[in-house]
Amino acid sequence: MGRESMRPLPAVIDVEIRTRDVVLEGMLALPDTPSGLVVFAHGSGSSRFSRRNRDVAEAMQAAGLGTLLFDLLSAEENTRDRVTAEHRFDIALLARRLTDTVDWLGQEAATRALRIGLFGASTGAAAALITAAERLQRVDAVVSRGGRPDLAGDALGRVRAPTLLIVGGWDPEVIALNAQAARQLTCAHRTAIVPDATHLFEEPGKLEQVSRLAAAWFATYLAATDSRGAR
């Protein structure tokens, strides 16, 4: 996906997302006529400023998709979590914050009409799948990048949004956990194994492969009139 063939990147706007218990900080980018909006749910120890997440978000934007990068934890919680790691594996908390964010997007004039995709990494993938199960009418596609979809538990069987599981070929444990989760999914789904890559996809060219796979998935299902058949 050559950047030279894509449209210019949109401006990024700082936003405050009001959830039921805290205000979260985010960065919203919307092309002039977005074909959908991809909401990022990052994993353990990451943030909206992660270079990996921002690189993937820019690839989405260049493909005509809007993006929302935001922190699932407040600044105070994030500071505490760096020391204690008490929140990053609290899947229920992460999923609740993500669900609140999807609801917030449905109330905002600039985003309420957009079809929503969720891009989850690490534990954020489990949160994305739980939110997809909780908001069947609002979430239209899910992508997991090196994620732990198995941690979504019973929610997996309730997901209706088409789901892409992307796993690094050098990550056999996570491959096995993704295969376990895939067996519980009843929605349209696919597993893509990126060869010669670890779960962070830090090897040369691997994150670009992830971006291409994810952008194609979202472009297909967010642009569709109805990605899952009759609702």
Side-chain angles (χ1 to χ4, degrees), residues 12-50:
V12 176
I13 303 169
D14 291 328
V15 295
E16 291 187 341
I17 302 159
R18 298 191 176 276
T19 72
R20 68 194 79 178
D21 54 353
V22 294
V23 176
L24 304 175
E25 304 293 328
M27 301 187 300
L28 178 68
L30 293 175
D32 289 337
T33 55
S35 54
L37 175 62
V38 178
V39 181
F40 284 68
H42 55 73
S44 306
S46 188
S47 78
R48 69 188 188 278
F49 299 114
S50 159

Side-chain angles (χ1 to χ4, degrees), residues 85-145:
E86 63 185 279
H87 296 306
R88 65 185 67 182
F89 293 106
D90 187 343
I91 305 300
L93 171 67
L94 302 181
R96 186 170 69 248
R97 297 276 174 83
L98 182 57
T99 301
D100 285 351
T101 298
V102 168
D103 291 344
W104 176 82
L105 289 167
Q107 298 166 4
E108 294 295 303
T111 55
R112 64 170 62 125
L114 296 177
R115 296 170 71 87
I116 290 177
L118 302 179
F119 183 94
S122 188
T123 52
L129 287 160
I130 293 171
T131 292
E134 293 294 326
R135 294 295 183 266
L136 297 174
Q137 303 300 319
R138 288 293 292 142
V139 177
D140 290 284
V142 177
V143 173
S144 164
R145 185 211 78 191

Side-chain angles (χ1 to χ4, degrees), residues 105-224:
L105 289 167
Q107 298 166 4
E108 294 295 303
T111 55
R112 64 170 62 125
L114 296 177
R115 296 170 71 87
I116 290 177
L118 302 179
F119 183 94
S122 188
T123 52
L129 287 160
I130 293 171
T131 292
E134 293 294 326
R135 294 295 183 266
L136 297 174
Q137 303 300 319
R138 288 293 292 142
V139 177
D140 290 284
V142 177
V143 173
S144 164
R145 185 211 78 191
R148 290 293 308 277
D150 56 296
L151 296 177
D154 293 341
L156 288 167
R158 295 185 282 112
V159 175
R160 295 293 174 265
T163 298
L164 175 64
L165 307 175
I166 305 175
V167 191
W170 286 344
D171 203 358
E173 181 179 354
V174 175
I175 290 174
L177 292 169
N178 274 252
Q180 172 188 321
R183 288 192 291 270
Q184 299 178 63
L185 289 170
T186 58
C187 59
H189 63 276
R190 183 167 79 89
T191 299
I193 297 179
V194 177
D196 305 325
T198 54
H199 76 285
L200 292 179
F201 301 94
E202 294 177 310
E203 298 75 19
K206 301 306 177 182
L207 194 62
E208 288 80 359
Q209 290 185 44
V210 169
S211 298
R212 286 194 293 270
L213 288 165
W217 192 263
F218 287 129
T220 297
Y221 289 107
L222 297 187

